[in-house]
Amino acid sequence: MFPVDLSVHVLRYPVEHPVRTSFGVMHDRPAVFVRVRDRDGAHGWGEIWCNFPACGAEHRARLAETVMRPLLLGREYAGPADAYAHLTAATEVLALQSGEPGPMAQVIAGVDLALWDLCARRAGQPLWAYLGGTGDRVSVYASGINPDEPERVVQQKFDEGFRAFKLKLGFGKDRDLRNVRQARRVLGPDVPLMVDANQGWDAQQAVDMAAALAEFDIGWLEEPLRADAPMQQWSELARVSPVPLAAGENYQGLRTFQAAIDAGFLGVVQPDLAKWGGISGCLPVIRAVRAAGLRYCPHYLGAGIGLMASAHVLAAVDGMGHGGLLEIDSNDNPLRSLLSAPLLQLEDGVARLGLAAGIGVEPNLRELRAICGAR
């Protein structure tokens, strides 16, 4: 593999209804797409996480253009993992010096996704098969459900074929429990329902809310504490929580994941491959999750390229059935929906990825830019 070109494309879709979390609001939906071309003409697409802060997309794009591009191009690599290791090692000190290990890791992750897509396209295989998978099926769930009338969104998504759901919490105990109660009422007792606090509680609030959620048969409680809270706090919460705990989207590095897995407080592990690791970094994490008998459910709340990569990885590693679920944002975002057509056709909560090479989509940038500027 000999990359000769890297291009970066920033898009923003101005949403009508902002996306709300316990720590911030998204007033538009940004995306940073990366296209890498090899000297043999093969190409691949990746996506860089850029949801926060609001200026994050442009910042990550400049890092990709000015830092990663010169490091990547004009060098022979044995494969994507070799390139990932080179970019990581070459920027470790710079990330410390600039105080930006997160943004650097996010850009490297996006480049890594593009390289894996490139290799699968060149091989003429869907990415799930190139990664060693035996089937193209993925189970999905609807997420990003805002605190305003979530029961309406839950019903809408159920009608679209979703059979698992995740509500956002962290907006006050009364409001949170009201929303969970209403969602459970709509879904009935047998449909999986999860919740996400987005690091919104302290230790005592987390204990109180976990206890209050017991009556609703919650599949998992995601990030009830800060990701950097002492592991002892996480372990103490896990000991008393009637709901399994989930985390991982804000972890970096295999050692961090392994420490959390070894500590035993997680039931569900959720690396975000556009935020850290790409595929090269996340595959060892997934192997560690499997070895510990835990569930791998990739986190994802961006645009369609990263979502499709997440889907293909899950299909590749979950072929034997390990309870993995793919997160699909329920909010309006054509930068996601126009680039993830296979995930729009659900049958009882299951999507089929098909046999198209790579991640199976090719962005029409002119069309996407027109849509982003149309509102």
Side-chain angles (χ1 to χ4, degrees):
M1 186 173 66
F2 196 99
V4 296
D5 186 55
L6 183 154
S7 59
V8 187
H9 310 274
V10 177
L11 300 102
R12 287 184 177 275
Y13 179 69
V15 296
E16 184 175 345
H17 301 290
V19 179
R20 301 179 61 189
T21 72
S22 62
F23 61 85
V25 179
M26 299 174 67
H27 295 282
D28 60 24
R29 302 307 301 271
V32 181
F33 298 149
V34 180
R35 185 181 189 270
V36 177
R37 180 170 57 85
D38 202 23
R39 65 181 171 188
D40 62 4
H43 75 278
W45 287 92
E47 182 175 343
I48 301 168
W49 185 94
C50 63
N51 288 345
F52 297 97
C55 62
E58 290 75 13
H59 173 248
R60 273 62 162 192
R62 292 295 290 151
L63 288 179
E65 292 166 343
T66 63
V67 178
M68 301 305 166
R69 190 176 191 275
L71 289 172
L72 178 74
L73 302 186
R75 182 185 179 107
E76 187 84 40
Y77 299 99
D82 185 26
Y84 175 83
H86 167 62
L87 293 179
T88 300
T91 57
E92 282 177 337
V93 173
L94 178 59
L96 292 173
Q97 185 71 26
S98 61
E100 295 199 314
M104 292 290 186
Q106 293 152 19
V107 176
I108 293 171
V111 173
D112 184 78
L113 296 181
L115 294 176
W116 280 98
D117 183 41
L118 184 158
C119 289
R121 289 177 191 256
R122 184 168 54 198
Q125 293 182 286
L127 182 57
W128 61 261
Y130 186 77
L131 291 170
T134 59
D136 69 338
R137 295 166 59 90
V138 286
S139 296
V140 307
Y141 72 94
S143 77
I145 300 174
N146 281 347
D148 303 315
E149 298 183 303
E151 63 271 22
R152 177 183 56 80
V153 178
V154 165
Q155 183 63 64
Q156 174 190 337
K157 293 301 171 180
F158 187 90
D159 294 342
E160 293 175 9
F162 285 89
R163 294 297 180 266
F165 302 83
K166 186 174 76 182
L167 299 186
K168 287 195 172 294
L169 304 185
F171 304 98
K173 183 175 182 178
D174 291 344
R175 188 179 190 184
D176 286 347
L177 293 179
R178 178 265 177 201
N179 286 343
V180 174
R181 185 173 292 107
Q182 289 296 100
R184 180 53 80 197
R185 180 186 61 80
V186 170
L187 295 173
D190 300 323
V191 176
L193 177 63
M194 294 77 72
V195 294
D196 184 359
N198 288 121
Q199 308 182 81
W201 301 326
D202 62 26
Q204 189 57 56
Q205 288 173 317
V207 169
D208 292 344
M209 284 298 297
L213 291 167
E215 66 176 287
F216 301 109
D217 190 21
I218 300 299
W220 72 66
L221 171 55
E222 186 169 329
E223 290 198 318
L225 302 169
R226 282 175 46 154
D228 65 350
M231 286 194 178
Q232 181 181 353
Q233 283 190 10
W234 280 89
S235 296
E236 290 172 353
L237 176 60
R239 278 196 293 270
V240 300
S241 175
V243 182
L245 304 185
E249 68 181 271
N250 292 306
Y251 290 171
Q252 283 194 37
L254 176 59
R255 282 189 291 184
T256 300
F257 279 98
Q258 189 66 63
I261 292 169
D262 292 344
F265 55 77
L266 293 179
V268 182
V269 185
Q270 305 168 299
D272 186 321
L273 51 72
K275 195 170 189 180
W276 172 82
I279 295 173
S280 297
C282 284
L283 283 177
V285 171
I286 297 168
R287 287 194 286 269
V289 171
R290 288 283 188 264
L294 304 176
R295 293 175 72 186
Y296 162 63
C297 295
H299 175 272
Y300 196 75
L301 205 76
I305 291 176
L307 177 60
M308 288 301 295
S310 300
H312 278 261
V313 171
L314 181 59
V317 303
D318 219 53
M320 297 303 292
H322 296 275
L325 289 172
L326 177 71
E327 179 172 20
I328 300 182
D329 183 11
S330 63
N331 296 280
D332 176 41
N333 184 4
L335 298 178
R336 180 194 70 251
S337 56
L338 291 176
L339 297 174
S340 57
L343 303 177
L344 301 178
Q345 305 297 321
L346 301 179
E347 184 173 343
D348 285 332
V350 176
R352 302 292 298 267
L353 301 179
L355 299 176
I359 60 172
V361 296
E362 184 69 31
N364 183 330
L365 294 174
R366 179 177 297 179
E367 176 188 13
L368 294 174
R369 290 194 179 101
I371 291 170
C372 288
R375 298 182 61 180

